Amino acid sequence: MRTSAKYRSFAIATVAAFTMTLPVVAADAAPVADAAIEVFAADGVTPLGDQPVHEGDTLVVRGTGFDPHGNTGGLPVPVPPGVPHGTFVTFGAFSPEWRPSAGAPTEARATDRSATAWVMTQSALDRVPSAPFDFQRTIRQQWVPLADDGTFTAEITVKKPKSIPTDALYGIYTYGAAESVNAAEELSVPVAFDPAPGPNAPKPSPQDLVWGFAPGYTDIVTRSTQGAVVGSDGATVRPEGRLAFALDSADIDPATGLGTVRYSGTVVSSTRFHLAEIALTDPWVEFTESGTFLSAESSNTNTTGTDSMTRVRLARLDVPADPNTSERTDVPARFTNTLQPTVLLPYSGSEAAPVTFRY
């Protein structure tokens, strides 16, 4: 898909500041003890063994012998050089040759961020900057404390990765975080993953309001900024990239069609390392005497996600109030001039993606 200069501006505004390709630093020294992991069922007591697991199941991972002072190489963000970068502990589908210390590419390790813990000592986390970019926030979303004796306990919720490498093996894996390299902490335990829905599988959300935001938006975020667009709490991101939300309530005047239709769910768009993270939550379709608008709770800044939000009118919809219909398809829309946060301002006044909704 080709996008115009206007729609590439989102990528330019974020990539220039946040996206970088940096060399991997040489491997760190081996830890003071032999690193090892054990995997248990959700009770934290029963060894997992070959027990089948499904999406939504919880696994408990216990580690010993991880070096609290190791893994000081790697990318300079979000962890500064010289500070222990910690270790990723993840459920994933990895190629047989997956180890960073052997030069395996990132594509050999298929994971989902929600199924990844970032194990790091409190003292190392305290040395991660919180300004001008809040790198500590980036890590705390996944953080599991590493004790001074090299032990940790992490709870991992199983989530199937989107892109599975050929001949991939499902399991719990550990390896140096933020592209630090430490062969001694590259460990794996096989997991008998069953893709069939289990008792804890997430239930599909209704898709009552569907919106692509802007033409090519999800492609820009996921490809140009090497980021992600993720839905939760009633929202999903459809395979073609449109955002979908579940109906919450409708307060419509049966005589005039004026009123508000409320939808629920949160969609978070983030760049690589979550250095830019913006959220849209609980959109409304507002039928008013001055026009029809699509509003939502939107992040107040480019880096706060759902931490700090304000409701704003995002787009004006080219559809009148009508008490005789409760379903519209591909309604033309145009962004307002009140967009926030600032990373979205280049879209102001431009054509938005069409909106489909029902109530």
Side-chain angles (χ1 to χ4, degrees):
M1 176 185 298
R2 296 188 64 184
T3 56
S4 69
K6 178 181 289 292
Y7 297 120
R8 288 196 302 270
S9 58
F10 176 88
I12 294 171
T14 54
V15 172
F18 307 132
T19 304
M20 59 189 72
T21 302
L22 299 170
V24 174
V25 178
D28 300 292
V32 295
D34 292 334
I37 55 172
E38 294 180 286
V39 183
F40 301 87
D43 61 10
V45 176
T46 307
L48 184 65
D50 58 1
Q51 174 183 331
V53 301
H54 306 263
E55 271 202 295
D57 289 352
T58 298
L59 306 180
V60 177
V61 184
R62 290 199 178 93
T64 58
F66 285 75
D67 186 1
H69 308 291
N71 301 1
T72 55
L75 297 177
V77 291
V79 186
V83 176
H85 283 40
T87 305
F88 287 146
V89 180
T90 188
F91 171 82
F94 284 23
S95 296
E97 303 299 327
W98 64 269
R99 291 173 171 79
S101 62
T106 301
E107 292 74 18
R109 299 179 290 277
T111 66
D112 189 280
R113 189 174 189 263
S114 66
T116 302
W118 194 323
V119 177
M120 174 186 282
T121 63
Q122 177 72 64
S123 60
L125 182 58
D126 289 343
R127 296 167 62 188
V128 174
S130 57
F133 303 114
D134 194 350
F135 294 145
Q136 284 194 21
R137 180 182 182 276
T138 299
I139 296 173
R140 286 186 186 278
Q141 292 175 333
Q142 301 170 266
W143 181 54
V144 168
L146 176 64
D148 291 339
D149 64 0
T151 62
F152 68 84
T153 299
E155 292 188 356
I156 303 293
T157 301
V158 173
K159 178 70 178 294
K160 182 181 179 181
K162 290 183 178 180
S163 300
I164 309 298
T166 303
D167 300 325
L169 303 174
Y170 287 98
I172 292 292
Y173 293 85
T174 70
Y175 56 101
E179 298 194 18
S180 60
V181 180
N182 186 343
E185 294 186 1
E186 295 173 356
L187 309 175
S188 64
V189 173
V191 170
F193 176 67
D194 184 347
N200 300 312
K203 293 179 175 58
S205 299
Q207 300 184 10
D208 299 309
L209 184 149
V210 180
W211 187 34
F213 190 74
Y217 174 78
T218 52
D219 279 345
I220 291 172
V221 177
T222 58
R223 297 178 183 178
S224 299
T225 77
Q226 302 177 40
V229 183
V230 179
S232 63
D233 301 326
T236 58
V237 180
R238 292 161 56 109
E240 80 280 4
R242 290 190 294 171
L243 320 179
F245 299 85
L247 176 65
D248 181 29
S249 63
D251 183 13
I252 299 296
D253 186 324
T256 65
L258 299 177
T260 300
V261 184
R262 296 173 176 83
Y263 300 85
S264 63
T266 296
V267 173
V268 175
S269 302
S270 59
T271 64
R272 191 182 185 192
F273 305 127
H274 282 236
L275 303 183
E277 181 178 313
I278 60 175
L280 294 178
T281 295
D282 298 345
W284 296 353
V285 175
E286 302 175 51
F287 295 102
T288 75
E289 292 182 351
S290 59
T292 303
F293 300 90
L294 178 62
S295 70
E297 296 286 326
S298 185
S299 302
N300 288 327
T301 75
N302 296 335
T303 60
T304 54
T306 58
D307 292 352
S308 176
M309 308 182 76
T310 303
R311 179 163 297 276
V312 296
R313 285 181 171 174
L314 300 171
R316 187 182 185 101
L317 307 186
D318 187 12
V319 62
D322 184 348
N324 299 314
T325 183
S326 60
E327 186 166 351
R328 276 84 163 184
T329 302
D330 291 335
V331 175
R334 181 166 293 275
F335 286 112
T336 67
N337 293 321
T338 59
L339 296 181
Q340 69 175 45
T342 57
V343 72
L344 297 180
L345 288 178
Y347 288 117
S348 295
S350 66
E351 180 182 2
V355 183
T356 294
F357 60 95
R358 62 191 178 195
Y359 55 92

